[in-house]
Structures are given as structure tokens and as C-alpha cells.
Amino acid sequence: MDLREYLALLRKRWLLIVALTTAGVAVAAVYTVLSEPLYRSRVQLFVSTQGASSNSDLLQGQNFTQQRTNTYARIVTSENVLQPVIDELGLPESVRELATHVSAEAPVDTVLLNVYVTDPSNTRAAMIADSVAASFVSFISTLEQPQSGAAALVKVSAVEPAEVPRSPFTPRTKLNLAAGLLAGLLLGVGIAAIREILETRVHGEAELRRVTDSAILGGIAFDKDAPHRPLIVQAGSMSTLAEAFRQLRTNLQFLNVGGDNRAYVITSPGPGEGKSTTAANLSLSLAQAGARVVLIEGDL
């Protein structure tokens, strides 16, 4: 399909596309309204190396710290960190349930660790985030403590405490509506394209020219009043219907110049598609031009 065919498809199936696009936006809106608002609070930790006495030691310590930070991001949701938080705040959640609300990330090429906590309550999210940070700092201090009792090589400290978020982190209304709009539009265009590909009916002269190399003798436009006045003598000699049959009559006459073909069969794939009306009106057009016409009913 080229661009012109796609534009024709949009004009032809616009109602389906608009309906599915509207449905996509409606589903996204309902999902947004029914979703429980969640707030997210962040606490930022700084991981440093202690005991560096030279630039070389400092560089090695920094590389070591960056590697350690990536590992620490996975420890934040461990039982050793979250269980003290549950005990301290008296939370009803288990460690596994609380872990689904806690996440951590280590920005690339930094020694920073961002800990995020999501919760339906904004104040509770900030409180849990601070408690997780304190528990994590304490656990890392114990974990990195040498058996000799010397000072720990790695130190973790909070550099940015958690703030109470003012607006929900989810649901994101604008993003959800935009996603629903896009999904509905793509679905509508996709279904319209599939229906067009699977469509076997011919709807117009342009489609007919694509499926056959035979010459088109004429085209009769749709007339909503045809069931009440099907004959051209009822519609009037200056009507569009009468003119269409006159063009068909003329093309048939030129098609038969110098020949003996005087019989024409009018048929269609199924009933109720206009065989009788077409045959009657073509006979009238030929008779009006002075031809002797016999109309024979052959639908047995």
C-alpha cells in the first residue's frame, strides 16, 4: 500500500479508528482513576574509602568503591537491612513485601547510591526511606569491619536525607492517557488495515481496476431512493441515474460496432444486488435510443 492508499484507508475506516482510539483513552483514564496513588521518596548515600595515603591509593580506592557500590545496590533489599526497619517502625509487612517497595540504583561512574521507597503515604515513604538508609549504613559498617578490629575500609554515609514527596509518583495521568491514545490509535489502524487486506468486496471503480484488466463499461452510483423508484423513467431524464445508464448504453453500442452481438447477460454473485433493476433500466435506455429490445427473465 502506498501513501495514497493509506490515506484512503483512514478516510474509509475513520469511524473504527476513532472508536478504538477513544476506547484506548477511556481504558487508560479508568485505570488511572482506579489505581492507588503511590508516593516515592529518595535518600542518597555516599560510599567512601578510608585510609588512602597517596594519589595511587586514592585512585585504587575509588575504583574499589565504585565496584562495591554496585554490589551494595543489591544488598539494600536484603533481610539484614529490612528486618531492622520493620522492627524499628513496627511495620505490618514482611521482609519480602517491604522489598517490593524498596529499590536502589548506583549511578554510573559515581560512588553514590540512591535508595527509593514507594508507599501510599508520602510521610510514611520518607520515614521508611530514612530508616532503610540508617539500617543499611549500620549493616555495611558491620559487614566491612575487619576481623582484626581495625577501622572499616569502606564507609557509607547519608548525604541527602529523604524528603516528603508532594505529588504521587504513580499513576502518571498524562503518560497513561498518552499511552492509551497511542495504543488505541495503533490498534484501530492495525485492525482497519487487516480488514482492508481481508476484504473481498469491490467498493468502487478504483478497486475494480486493481483486480481486473477488463474495460469498465460504466458505473452506476448508489441511489438511496432506488428502492422506491428504481426505474429511470421514474427518476427523470435529467437525473444522475438516467445519465449513468445512458453512458452504459453508449459504451455498449460502441463496443458492438460492426458486430453481430446483440445479446447481453446481466448477472451478479448473489441475490439482491441489482440485476433486475440494471436490466430494466438498460432496456429502457436502449429503447429510448430507438433500439428494439426484448427483456427476458432468466433467473431460474
Side-chain angles (χ1 to χ4, degrees):
M1 297 178 66
D2 56 19
L3 180 59
R4 183 180 302 176
E5 291 174 329
Y6 277 113
L7 294 177
L9 171 64
L10 295 179
R11 290 194 299 267
K12 182 179 179 181
R13 306 286 185 181
W14 69 270
L15 188 59
L16 172 65
I17 297 173
V18 170
L20 290 178
T21 302
T22 304
V25 175
V27 171
V30 172
Y31 170 78
T32 301
V33 171
L34 297 180
S35 298
E36 181 183 26
L38 292 177
Y39 296 86
R40 187 170 79 165
S41 184
R42 187 196 72 168
V43 58
Q44 193 171 73
L45 305 175
F46 178 77
V47 183
S48 60
T49 303
Q50 304 184 88
S53 57
S54 64
N55 292 335
S56 176
D57 292 341
L58 184 61
L59 180 60
Q60 293 178 0
Q62 184 177 3
N63 293 334
F64 173 78
T65 303
Q66 289 179 357
Q67 296 175 359
R68 269 292 196 266
T69 303
N70 293 327
T71 303
Y72 290 163
R74 302 182 180 182
I75 299 179
V76 171
T77 56
S78 65
E79 182 177 1
N80 292 323
V81 175
L82 297 184
Q83 188 60 52
V85 175
I86 295 174
D87 297 338
E88 178 187 359
L89 301 180
L91 302 178
E93 293 93 342
S94 64
V95 171
R96 179 175 298 181
E97 292 172 342
L98 181 59
T100 60
H101 299 281
V102 179
S103 62
E105 66 172 3
V108 180
D109 296 330
T110 69
V111 291
L112 297 175
L113 185 65
N114 295 323
V115 179
Y116 300 96
V117 175
T118 57
D119 194 83
S121 170
N122 57 345
T123 56
R124 191 168 180 263
M127 180 176 60
I128 294 176
D130 283 332
S131 181
V132 170
S135 177
F136 178 75
V137 169
S138 176
F139 175 70
I140 293 300
S141 177
T142 303
L143 182 66
E144 298 289 357
Q145 181 71 42
Q147 294 182 355
S148 61
L153 181 62
V154 178
K155 180 182 178 181
V156 180
S157 55
V159 294
E160 187 176 329
E163 295 183 358
V164 178
R166 297 182 179 179
S167 57
F169 174 69
T170 59
R172 300 179 180 179
T173 304
K174 294 182 179 180
L175 181 61
N176 290 347
L177 293 179
L181 175 66
L182 180 60
L185 179 61
L186 293 178
L187 181 63
V189 173
I191 293 179
I194 292 175
R195 290 188 60 180
E196 190 70 15
I197 293 173
L198 299 179
E199 179 63 80
T200 58
R201 293 178 296 178
V202 177
H203 296 86
E205 184 176 336
E207 293 184 13
L208 184 59
R209 292 187 184 278
R210 288 201 303 266
V211 299
T212 180
D213 295 330
S214 301
I216 298 176
L217 299 178
I220 312 300
F222 173 76
D223 184 5
K224 63 180 180 180
D225 295 328
H228 306 289
R229 46 178 191 177
L231 301 180
I232 57 176
V233 293
Q234 296 172 312
S237 61
M238 302 302 295
S239 66
T240 304
L241 183 65
E243 178 62 22
F245 277 102
R246 283 196 291 267
Q247 290 180 358
L248 176 60
R249 175 198 67 193
T250 302
N251 289 335
L252 285 174
Q253 289 174 338
F254 277 103
L255 186 67
N256 194 37
V257 173
D260 296 330
N261 296 329
R262 298 296 179 90
Y264 303 100
V265 176
I266 298 176
T267 185
S268 69
E273 296 184 354
K275 293 186 295 293
S276 300
T277 302
T278 300
N281 283 326
L282 180 58
S283 300
L284 288 171
S285 297
L286 290 169
Q288 289 174 347
R292 299 175 61 189
V293 183
V294 176
L295 178 60
I296 301 174
E297 169 65 60
D299 187 0
L300 304 180

